[in-house]
Amino acid sequence: MNKGMKAAALLCAAAVVGTVSWTWGKGNKKSSAAKKTEDKTIRIFGNFRGEEGARFDEIVKIFNAKTGYNVVYEGSPEFETQILVQAEAGTPPDIAALPQPGMMKNFARRGFIKPLSKEVVTKIDENYAPVWKQLGTAEDGKVYGVFYRISAKSFVWYPKKAWEAKGYTVPKTWDELRTLENKMAANGDTPWSIGFEAGGSTGWVGTDWLEDVMLRTAGPDVYDKWVNHTIPFDDPAVQNALKYVGEIMLNDKYVYGGTTNILTQSYGDSIKPLFTNPPKAYMNRQGNFITGFMPENIQANLENEVGVFALPAIDPKYGTPVLGSGDQFVAFNDKKGVQEFLEFLTTWEACAPWAKVGGALFPHKNQNFNDYGNAIERDLAKILVNATVFRFDGSDLMPAEVGAGTFWTGMVDYVNGKDAKTVLTTIEKSWPKSN
């Protein structure tokens, strides 16, 4: 879900909170035999819906067949509001899939969720890079979250056939990227297609760019301080990162349609100029979801038509970070079977069926990349697993007034000509005083 859709969903959820009710654990009196069956029922709540919900249901069926438990999954577009309502009312599901690390920490701080068992933590140590355990650990030092499906954003897409015909090669460093941009411009080609337009969420694409560059120039520790506001929003490290972004976005030779088109072209449409004949642009930085916005004939032949690489490193000591989001599963009670299901999620057996049909990436070290249904997602999964640094989308973790407000509009103002220091200082002044 893009930021605008998420914001709309949360507003909708807030409006209906007063009417939300749940029937889990309620109903008519059961016979003793029925109660015995119900004891093996494990309720999971999350925001997977539609096709995603159906794919997760297939994973649940594997566990049920193996163990004899009756795991039941329920998805809702108002999940983020409803799960808080249910936790506070003392009627939460057995397991929930949380989309934000902050939600896990809030629930842990308030004693709503249970730490993972030693067996599950051991599996995390064996099957995940350390960052995923860190992201699943609360302020009390205990591990609560098992990460499962991951969405990643730090990818650059290109039209494979036109790219190869021009003799362009994938850059491994930022200096190589600059050399490639200059080569394209000298050839009369436009390097980038960028689109900020997203209705009420216009500008979120710019925040992703700045976050990605912050990770590459300032590193994960400074990035975390910036997101948590232990350094000001207009810190020199942020100004430096924005300078890198501006070198691309404010150069009309580098961006299709120049700054005007950045502000008026939608993020979904921004991939399409890569697949005209000849291409109007040769690169687009966006998350793994962007394949769904490519022309239908391209989607039908992704492996032959589309290339992808990680946004290159800038400072070698930070490697090639990945920016994204992910769902972590947490336990609201310690009934039998809950920890077993969470342990199951740490195995590749719980991921391979979804990987085969597509639409999801997984961080498991022990995964079989050949299980992905196409070469594109195989390449993306390798980038994700090999990343030494992964961080959540910063604007999603900031207070809404900033992350879904002045940060979005500030990036629009910057592309529209306002100087960097003024933009960043304006955002800094908007940060809520309590934060």
Side-chain angles (χ1 to χ4, degrees), residues 54-97:
R55 292 175 182 181
F56 185 65
D57 278 337
E58 293 302 310
I59 305 303
V60 165
K61 289 177 183 177
I62 296 172
F63 178 80
N64 288 343
K66 285 168 62 73
T67 64
Y69 286 104
N70 178 35
V71 175
V72 179
Y73 172 73
E74 177 79 17
S76 170
E78 287 87 38
F79 166 77
E80 292 183 48
T81 298
Q82 290 181 353
I83 188 62
L84 180 59
V85 170
Q86 292 304 301
E88 291 179 336
T91 56
D94 301 311
I95 298 172

Side-chain angles (χ1 to χ4, degrees), residues 336-349:
K336 187 173 174 58
V338 168
Q339 295 288 338
E340 291 176 56
F341 184 81
L342 295 176
E343 184 175 349
F344 172 66
L345 291 182
T346 70
T347 68
W348 186 239
E349 181 184 12

Side-chain angles (χ1 to χ4, degrees), residues 191-214:
W192 295 96
S193 175
I194 303 171
F196 274 20
E197 199 282 320
S201 308
T202 294
W204 69 259
V205 170
T207 70
D208 284 359
W209 268 86
L210 182 56
E211 290 157 8
D212 244 338
V213 174
M214 270 290 290

Side-chain angles (χ1 to χ4, degrees), residues 51 55 74 100 132 214 242 260 367 370 384 387 389-390 400 412 417 427:
E51 187 62 32
R55 292 175 182 181
E74 177 79 17
Q100 299 290 353
W132 302 105
M214 270 290 290
L242 188 55
T260 299
Q367 64 183 279
N370 291 328
L384 176 63
V389 174
F390 180 93
V412 170
I427 300 172

Side-chain angles (χ1 to χ4, degrees), residues 156-176:
V156 179
W157 304 84
Y158 63 93
K160 184 183 289 187
K161 292 179 179 177
W163 179 282
E164 292 174 351
K166 290 281 189 173
Y168 298 141
T169 56
V170 170
K172 299 291 175 48
T173 67
W174 201 265
D175 285 341
E176 290 182 7

Side-chain angles (χ1 to χ4, degrees), residues 44 73 136 182-183 185 193 224 232 241 292 308 323 354 372 386 393 398:
I44 302 179
Y73 172 73
N182 290 329
K183 181 178 181 180
S193 175
D224 293 342
V308 62
L323 179 77
W354 198 340
Y372 286 93
N386 292 328
D393 182 303
M398 295 173 183

